[in-house]
Amino acid sequence: MALPETLRGTVQVPLDGDRPAQVSTLGALYRALAACWTAPEGLRKLEGLEITARFALRRDGSVIGTPRITFAAGAPGPEARDVLVRATLRSIAACTPAPVTEGLGRAVAGRPLALRFVYRGPEGRGI
């Protein structure tokens, strides 16, 4: 069975707990990549922020090129959207290289990842 061309994942952020030392599954990879995401200053009281970043990893878990934001919702205006985008790109940079096992690194190397971060708000209840 082959993996799809684009590997898609959704993670509700922020995550509780520590960043894993090593990941061997896609689900764990998505959580490891989202572990550094925090709600940006000035947007923490909002509910329903969503942003999707598309990027690829090398076998060692480092990012190939620059992640691209393909979707953003919930930010009230272009300035807030820019804050959300910058915070998301910083979180990906902070959480990479991802701690992938050799097998997972081979499986995901060069494949596009579309990782969606969903922030439900300070109470976690969402809208």
Side-chain angles (χ1 to χ4, degrees), residues 13 33 36-38 40 50-55 67-69 71-72 81-95 115-117:
V13 288
L33 291 168
C36 299
W37 195 96
T38 59
E50 295 183 25
I51 188 162
T52 302
R54 185 176 166 100
F55 55 97
R68 187 173 57 129
I69 301 302
F71 176 79
R81 183 187 186 282
D82 288 345
V83 168
L84 179 61
V85 166
R86 284 193 307 273
T88 300
L89 293 176
R90 275 193 308 271
S91 76
I92 292 169
C95 268
L115 184 56
R116 181 174 155 226
F117 301 87

